[in-house]
Each structure stands twice: as C-alpha cells, then as structure tokens.
C-alpha cells in the first residue's frame, strides 16, 4: 500500500508545521532528521513500488518498520506541544496489517510500545506508576485493535479477490472453451456435404454454414428470412406446387414437426435442388429447449438417377414384354396341334411364363416406390388355400410338407392381388430353403396391435419394416424348418438381388427379388412384415389391418 506512505509523509509535514507554529524550539535537528527519513522512505517506496515483484516482497516491510522508528523520534519531540502526534504510528501499522503476514503486523504493534516508551527511556527514566504505564500501553492497545480489524478486513478482501479471480478464470476458460467449440463446430459444418443451420429458441440464426446460405439464397430467403413481398421458391415433390414456409419454421422444428426426413425442391423451376432435411431440438442438461438445428442433404443427383432408372425399366420392360406376349400367344396356338406341337407349346409356354415373371419382378423391384394400394375386404382363408394348392406339387417334389392352419381370423383390408403375391413370395422362399423332410406351416390368426413383436425379439434376429399399425390385425405367419439365416444374412434379406451363400452353393433358382417385392407391397398395403431367423428355421410374419 504505497499510498499509505504518502499519507504518512503528508501527516508528518502537517505535525512538523503545526509544531513549529506552536513552539519553534521543537524544531530540533532530531525532529527534522526523523521527518527527512520519512520523506526518503516515501521516495524509496515510490521507486520500488513500480516493480510488482519488489512491492509484494517481505523486504518491503522494512519501510513501515523504519517509519515506526522515525515516528518514535517525532513523537518524543512534539508530544508536549501536540499530544495527538502519536497517531502517526497508525499509518505504518495499518500498512503492515493490510499487506504483510500477521507476525509482521504483531511486530509493528509491539514497535508502537517502543514509540510510547522512547521519551521516558531518552530521559533516562522508566514508568514508575500506573498513569505512566497507561500512557505507554494505551496507544499500542488501540493501534493493535485497529491493526487486528484491518488484518481481518484484508483477509476477507483477499478471499473475495481469490474467489473473484477464480470465477474470472473459470469464465475465461469457459469462454475460451466455448469459442473453441464454436470454431470447431463451424469448421465441421463448413466441411460437411450437408447444409447446417442452428437457431436459438427465438428463431435467431446462431450458425449457418456456407451450403445452408446457398440453399437459402436459392430459395429467395437470404439470412433464412423470407421476403414478405414474394413467396419462397420451395416446392413439393412435383416441383411445381409451392410449399408454404411458415414464419414459425423454427418453432415447428422445436416441436418435432420435422423429426422425419422431408423432401422439398428449392429454386426456380429448371434450376432446382432436391433437399432432404430433418430438424431436431437442442436441449440443455436440464432438458430446457435451447434452440433447433436443421440439416439438409442435397439428393438431387440421387433422385435424378432414380428417375432415369425408372424410365429405363419402363422402356426395357415394354420392349421385353411385347415379344414375350407374342411368344406366349403363338405357344397357345400350337397347343391345338399334334403331340410334338403340344410338347413344344408346353416348353415354350413354361419358359415364357418364367421369363415374364422375372421381367415383372425386375420391374416391381426396380421401382423406387409402389403406389399405395386401394384396400378392400379380402377373405384370407380361401386365398391361402389357393396358394397351398399352387405350391403343393412343388413342395411335394422338394420333399417338404406344406400345411395351412386357419385360426378363424376372418377378413383383412388389403389389395387381394398384392396379398397373394406377398404370401406366394414367402411360401416360395420357405419351400426353396427347407431341405427334404422339413415342413412349411402357414398360420392364419388375429391379434391385437399391442401384442406385436411380443415374441419376435426373443426368438432371434429380426428385420422390421414399416411402422406398426394401431388397429387389430390379421396375422399371416409362414414358418419353416429350413436352413435359416445368420444375423448378417437376415439384415440383407430384403435387399434387391441379394442371395445367401446357401442359395449360391445349392443353385437355388431365383433373382433374389421375392422378399424385396414382398416388403414393398406390404408397405403399399399399410402392412408390416417381420422376419425372425435362426440356423434352424425362419419365421415371416405379415400383419394386415383387420376388417
């Protein structure tokens, strides 16, 4: 506390001046030497106080201790003219109590005893009564109490300063960490192939990467805000119908409106991008919603490739089916001829039907989407009996027993032709992958939606399709005692053209499209298809809305 030294030199000057006015005889060489010592110590303090290392050093305590020695001389010379001159010792003692360890403060208080005792010792005497002893000890006691209070206040201030510095340090670390995370997040968002935008709970953009800005500009929404004078260039799947962009887009995202991927076309017709986007709320540790993040992926090239593929399949399908129809027609004409002609007609017809079935499977499996079916009431039991009749000879030739069990499920809501195709694909797979001596059982029943998957997970690996229905269901289960599938094989079971190693090794005929088509037809009929398989058999469960 160098400023305390400044106060001391001012106070010393005041008492010297006042003492000189009262009695010029008190201005002795000893007094002036002591006052000059205070001035020199003050100058030394000002010089050394500029250096933080020296200012905080214990050696600096020499200055207030030397001040106390000077104060003893000044008091001895002026105490008769100015009894209050003893208060000069307050300044160095306070400095010691505030800035130095407690033992130096105690040393300073003890030094004030020397200050009050010095005049008696200089006169060659010693306190001889209570009054003299009281004069010696009163000032040290009062100064000691003041020093104790000062020391306590200083400690409290130091603790408060330490807490403040600790909080400030933690805040700086948090800000630095937050800045580093923000820079890292921005770097990641700018290097990703997706458009990323983050908003706070009020809808204010917090971070928008370069791709998101490009998409917003293309949509006529620079900065993510639409122009009230014109509608944003955001269109639906047909690329023509505008999709309104509500002002509370972020609030919709916060409520979970875009949890599932949504597809929009962005930009003026003729120069559009297909963007598949999702949105998720951002929550804090306590569950409080802090904002939302919207991520969009450019799927333009993928959609255009799918459109090209569908167009190619349409063209190739037409080119293949037209001559096949002619071949099958002429084969039918040959059936009216002689025995050789009829045999040739049967061979040509069987080969043509097989090829036509393969073409139809390729067309159905190659489609990116199958139009949603128009359901009707279907009596399922007769339909399953018809499938059994058609597969009876094939199962018998393979040495496989085929059973149909009807538990009285009643009617289902589905497209009859789609349902036949799904069941035939499941039964065909079951017969093909069941060795001789095994069995395939088709069970028809009815179940509540809540019982779905009750035993599927426990029975083995499963591959789910579509979202579960909520109404009572008709359940068709096709179970076999065949070779089954591993978990890896089951995961790929409905991929187009996938064939298991067993199918390749045993030359099982087929294109690997049956389950692919069954899955798509199930989706189109708002049904679900579950596969559960172990190495001792496979169970396929089809669930349809009940009538």
């Amino acid at each position: 506390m160098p400023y305390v030294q400044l106060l001391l030199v001012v106070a010393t000057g005041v008492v010297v001046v006042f003492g000189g006015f009262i009695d010029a005889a008190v201005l002795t060489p000893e007094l002036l030497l002591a006052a000059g010592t205070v001035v020199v110590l003050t100058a030394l303090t000002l010089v050394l106080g500029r250096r933080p290392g020296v200012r905080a050093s214990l050696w600096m305590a020499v200055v207030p201790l030397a001040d106390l020695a000077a104060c003893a001389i000044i008091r001895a010379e002026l105490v008769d003219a100015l009894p209050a001159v003893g208060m000069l010792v307050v300044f160095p003692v306070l400095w010691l109590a505030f800035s130095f360890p407690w033992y130096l403060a105690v040393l300073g208080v003890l030094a004030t005893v020397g200050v009050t005792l010095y005049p008696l010792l200089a006169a060659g005497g010693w306190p001889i009564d209570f009054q003299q002893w009281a004069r010696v000890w009163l000032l040290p006691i009062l100064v000691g109490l003041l020093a104790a209070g000062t020391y306590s206040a200083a400690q409290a201030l130091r603790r408060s300063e330490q807490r403040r510095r600790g909080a400030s340090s933690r805040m700086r670390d948090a800000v630095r960490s937050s800045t580093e995370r923000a820079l890292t997040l921005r770097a990641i968002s700018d290097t990703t192939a997706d458009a990323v935008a983050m908003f706070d709970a009020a809808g204010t953009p917090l971070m928008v990467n370069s791709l998101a800005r490009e998409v917003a500009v293309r949509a006529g929404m620079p900065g993510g805000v639409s122009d009230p004078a014109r509608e944003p260039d955001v269109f639906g799947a047909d690329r023509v119908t505008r999709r309104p962009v509500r002002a509370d887009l972020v609030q919709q995202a916060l409520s979970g409106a875009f949890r599932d991927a949504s597809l929009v076309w962005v930009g003026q017709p003729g120069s559009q991008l297909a963007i598949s986007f999702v949105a998720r709320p951002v929550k804090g540790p306590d569950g409080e919603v802090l904002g939302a993040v919207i991520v969009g992926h450019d799927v333009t090239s993928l959609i255009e490739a799918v459109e090209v593929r569908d167009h190619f399949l349409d063209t190739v399908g037409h080119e293949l089916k037209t001559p096949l129809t002619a071949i099958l027609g002429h084969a039918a004409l040959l059936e009216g001829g002689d025995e050789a002609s009829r045999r040739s007609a049967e061979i040509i017809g069987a080969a043509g039907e097989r090829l036509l079935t393969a073409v139809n499977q390729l067309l159905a499996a190659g489609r990116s989407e199958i139009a949603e079916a128009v359901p009707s009431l279907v009596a399922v039991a007769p339909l399953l009996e018809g499938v059994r009749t058609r597969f009876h000879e094939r199962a018998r030739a393979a040495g496989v027993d085929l059973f149909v069990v009807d538990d009285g499920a009643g009617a289902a809501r589905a497209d009859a032709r789609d349902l036949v195709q799904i069941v035939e694909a499941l039964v065909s797979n079951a017969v093909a992958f069941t060795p001789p001596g095994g069995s395939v059982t088709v069970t028809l029943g009815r179940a509540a939606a809540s019982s779905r998957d009750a035993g599927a997970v426990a029975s083995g690996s499963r591959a789910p399709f579509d979202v579960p229905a909520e109404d009572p269901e008709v359940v068709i289960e096709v179970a076999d005692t065949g070779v089954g599938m591993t978990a890896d094989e089951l995961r790929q079971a409905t991929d187009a053209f996938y064939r298991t190693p067993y199918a390749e090794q045993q030359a099982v005929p087929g294109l690997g499209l049956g389950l692919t088509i069954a899955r798509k037809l199930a989706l189109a009929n708002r049904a679900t298809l579950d596969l559960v398989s172990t190495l001792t058999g496979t169970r396929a469960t089809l669930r349809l809305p009940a009538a």
Side-chain angles (χ1 to χ4, degrees), residues 144-507:
L145 293 173
L146 184 60
T150 302
Y151 180 80
S152 177
Q155 292 301 105
L157 285 174
R158 288 191 182 94
R159 289 193 294 270
S160 176
E161 178 67 11
Q162 289 175 351
R163 288 194 296 268
R164 185 192 67 79
R165 289 181 179 178
S168 178
S169 176
R170 289 192 296 272
M171 184 177 296
R172 284 195 301 271
D173 291 343
V175 170
R176 182 166 56 252
S177 177
S178 177
T179 302
E180 291 173 353
R181 286 197 298 268
L183 292 175
T184 302
L185 182 60
R186 179 170 292 279
I188 293 174
S189 67
D190 284 336
T191 55
T192 183
D194 295 327
V196 182
M198 185 177 293
F199 302 85
D200 63 16
T204 304
L206 299 178
M207 186 200 69
V208 181
N209 71 351
S210 55
L211 289 177
R213 286 192 291 271
E214 291 179 13
V215 172
V217 170
R218 186 182 289 266
M221 300 169 57
V225 180
S226 59
D227 184 356
R230 61 185 291 266
E231 292 186 51
D233 295 326
V234 180
F235 302 87
D238 61 0
R239 309 192 191 187
V240 176
T241 305
R242 290 185 182 271
R243 288 191 59 174
V245 179
R246 291 169 47 179
D248 61 345
L249 179 63
V250 175
Q251 295 302 321
Q252 288 182 277
L254 292 176
S255 66
F258 303 114
R259 184 169 297 276
D260 297 325
S262 300
L263 179 67
V264 294
W265 288 87
V266 177
Q268 291 286 341
S271 178
Q272 294 177 321
L273 294 179
I275 304 296
S276 175
F277 71 95
V278 294
R280 294 288 188 277
V282 178
K283 297 183 179 180
D286 57 353
E288 178 187 4
V289 177
L290 304 178
V293 60
I294 300 177
V295 179
H297 186 67
D298 184 356
V299 294
T300 308
S301 58
L302 177 61
I303 289 181
E304 290 176 346
V306 170
E307 290 176 346
V308 170
R309 184 197 64 186
D310 287 349
H311 179 69
F312 169 78
L313 288 174
D314 283 340
T315 302
V316 171
H318 175 74
E319 293 298 322
L320 290 176
K321 290 174 74 172
T322 300
L324 279 174
T325 302
I327 291 172
L328 291 174
H330 285 77
L333 293 177
L334 290 175
E335 291 178 355
D338 56 19
E339 184 64 25
S341 297
R342 284 197 298 274
R343 264 198 317 272
S344 297
E346 289 178 3
I347 295 173
I348 294 173
E353 289 290 348
R354 180 176 176 182
L355 184 57
L356 184 59
T357 299
V359 170
N360 288 332
Q361 284 186 334
L362 284 171
L363 291 176
R367 285 285 180 187
S368 57
E369 293 182 1
I370 293 180
E372 185 171 342
V374 179
S376 59
L377 293 182
V378 179
V380 184
L383 181 147
L384 296 184
E385 186 60 31
V387 171
R388 189 193 68 79
T389 300
R390 285 191 292 278
F391 278 87
H392 175 72
E393 286 300 323
R394 184 192 299 184
R396 187 177 64 81
V400 175
D401 294 326
L402 177 60
F403 304 100
V404 173
V405 179
D406 182 4
D407 289 342
R413 302 189 66 83
D415 181 272
R417 286 179 299 179
D418 289 349
L419 185 54
V420 168
Q421 193 169 350
I422 294 172
V423 176
E424 286 185 345
L426 299 178
V427 172
S428 175
N429 258 32
V431 171
F433 290 93
T434 300
S439 64
V440 174
T441 303
V442 181
T443 304
L444 173 62
R446 188 181 182 96
S450 59
S451 68
R452 171 170 303 176
D453 299 334
V457 178
S459 301
S461 304
R462 63 182 296 272
F465 309 109
D466 202 8
V467 248
E470 297 179 356
D471 298 326
E473 301 161 329
V474 170
V475 180
I476 301 173
E477 183 178 279
V478 180
D480 63 58
T481 60
V483 296
M485 290 180 281
T486 66
D488 289 339
E489 293 170 346
L490 182 61
R491 187 172 57 252
Q492 304 174 74
T494 59
D495 292 348
F497 306 110
Y498 174 75
R499 286 167 58 79
T500 64
Y502 177 87
E504 299 288 348
Q505 295 164 6
Q506 301 298 320

Side-chain angles (χ1 to χ4, degrees), residues 12-62:
T12 301
V14 170
V15 298
V16 169
V17 171
F18 275 37
F21 275 115
I22 295 173
D23 185 0
V26 300
L27 300 178
T28 62
E30 292 82 359
L31 174 64
L32 296 178
L33 178 62
T37 300
V38 173
V39 173
V40 172
L41 291 172
T42 303
L44 182 64
T45 301
L46 292 176
V47 173
L48 296 179
R50 296 178 180 273
R51 302 177 181 179
V54 176
R55 187 171 60 201
S57 172
L58 293 179
W59 287 105
M60 199 68 178
V62 173

